[in-house]
Amino acid sequence: MASSTSEQRNPLVPVEYTKGVNGLDKVILRGLRGVSAEMYLYGAHVTSWKNEHKQELLFVSNKAIFKPPKPIRGGISICFPQFDTLGYVGAHGYARNRVWSVDPNPPPLPMTSPTNSYVDLLLKPSEEDLKIWPHSYEFRLRISLGPGGELLLTSRVRNIDSKPFSFTFAYHTYFSVSDVSEVRVEGLETLDYLDNTKNRERFTEQGDAITFEGEVDKVYLSTPSKIAILDHERKRTYVIRKDGLLDAGWVDCALFVQL
């Protein structure tokens, strides 16, 4: 992924507002020991997360098109108000195709670790959005870096309508790994899942851990709060912790956690 050649990066500034690919507005977060994250206002899309060794932890396709209305391919995509094709809004909803705004004075939100490297992004439906999905809301997404280099995403959807509504939601995350054949996922053993390669037929996971030997497209139901991705070749482990999201799914080595 290329960045704007005119952009000046100050490693001492915890939050920087700049321009990215094709002049799209971008936010850079910087944490302790050189940890960083980058996200675009277009789609509230996280496109980079680097550890203290400057190693990229997310995957963004070299074919990604940073040009609306196409969604950015890779990173962390926000699926809202619909995940997949489970409804009438369209695959993965429209939040990933909208320009979000920055809240300059965000309210305090519960966080597991205090940090000054964070940004709150907001999405409210336009008149055109209301024609697609007729519900008024405010979606607040806080993206922050924890003191240990953790990437934290906290979502709040506030109903500002006169009637209740339901929705589905997911963080559709693409992790950077060495080779999918060298990866295993732990924490989903014995769980039921829906196999999208077999018309969402329901099965129970039988293995000690998930490995990838062919096409995988599964939604695991009622998943635990902690899941681990082990990349043996890079000797790296991703630990995913969640609160309030019920299910988790895998498409090769992309992860989503779903409400």
Side-chain angles (χ1 to χ4, degrees):
M1 182 185 71
S3 59
S4 172
T5 55
S6 63
E7 136 185 331
Q8 298 294 320
R9 298 191 177 191
N10 185 344
L12 301 179
V13 177
V15 184
E16 180 181 350
Y17 303 96
T18 184
K19 297 291 184 180
V21 180
N22 292 330
L24 295 176
D25 290 320
K26 183 173 73 171
V27 182
I28 303 173
L29 302 181
R30 299 186 182 89
L32 300 176
R33 299 184 298 278
V35 173
S36 67
E38 299 182 5
M39 64 264 0
Y40 281 77
L41 297 193
Y42 177 61
H45 203 120
V46 180
T47 54
S48 176
W49 173 33
K50 293 181 180 179
N51 60 20
E52 64 271 21
H53 304 296
K54 309 299 183 184
Q55 296 169 330
E56 182 58 66
L57 304 178
L58 298 177
F59 169 81
V60 174
S61 172
N62 56 14
K63 297 181 180 179
I65 300 173
F66 288 75
K67 188 175 182 180
K70 291 286 188 179
I72 299 172
R73 186 178 178 184
I76 304 177
S77 178
I78 302 298
C79 303
F80 178 86
Q82 176 182 302
F83 173 71
D84 201 11
T85 56
L86 305 178
Y88 60 88
V89 177
H92 294 327
Y94 58 73
R96 61 186 185 146
N97 305 93
R98 299 295 185 267
V99 177
W100 296 49
S101 61
V102 174
D103 188 345
N105 298 296
L109 294 177
M111 299 183 66
T112 57
S113 302
T115 178
N116 65 344
S117 184
Y118 69 92
V119 65
D120 275 27
L121 304 181
L122 299 175
L123 179 68
K124 296 180 180 180
S126 66
E127 292 298 323
E128 290 302 313
D129 293 338
L130 290 172
K131 294 177 182 178
I132 300 171
W133 195 64
H135 303 290
S136 296
Y137 62 87
E138 178 190 78
F139 191 136
R140 177 180 297 273
L141 173 65
R142 171 166 290 187
I143 307 169
S144 60
L145 290 172
E150 313 95 311
L151 178 63
L152 310 173
L153 278 72
T154 306
S155 289
R156 294 283 183 87
V157 178
R158 183 166 65 95
N159 185 354
I160 54 178
D161 210 335
S162 59
K163 56 185 181 297
F165 59 78
S166 60
F167 61 90
T168 52
F169 157 81
Y171 298 123
H172 202 305
T173 307
Y174 294 78
F175 290 100
S176 177
V177 297
S178 55
D179 189 295
V180 71
S181 65
E182 296 293 327
V183 172
R184 58 188 281 141
V185 181
E186 297 180 350
L188 303 176
E189 301 83 3
T190 74
L191 295 183
D192 285 358
Y193 64 86
L194 305 178
D195 193 332
N196 286 328
T197 67
K198 298 180 179 179
N199 296 316
R200 296 182 64 82
E201 189 175 348
R202 186 164 179 156
F203 297 93
T204 300
E205 185 60 56
Q206 302 295 329
D208 294 333
I210 298 172
T211 56
F212 301 88
E213 299 175 355
E215 182 182 3
V216 176
D217 189 349
K218 301 176 180 179
V219 178
Y220 286 83
L221 307 175
S222 302
T223 55
S225 59
K226 177 183 174 181
I227 301 169
I229 305 172
L230 288 74
D231 186 340
H232 296 289
E233 184 171 321
R234 289 183 178 171
K235 296 180 174 58
R236 176 185 297 164
T237 299
Y238 297 96
V239 178
I240 300 97
R241 300 180 188 274
K242 65 184 179 72
D243 181 20
L245 295 168
L246 299 179
D247 305 326
W250 298 92
V251 183
D252 295 331
C253 210
L255 164 74
F256 59 80
V257 284
Q258 176 189 358
L259 177 64

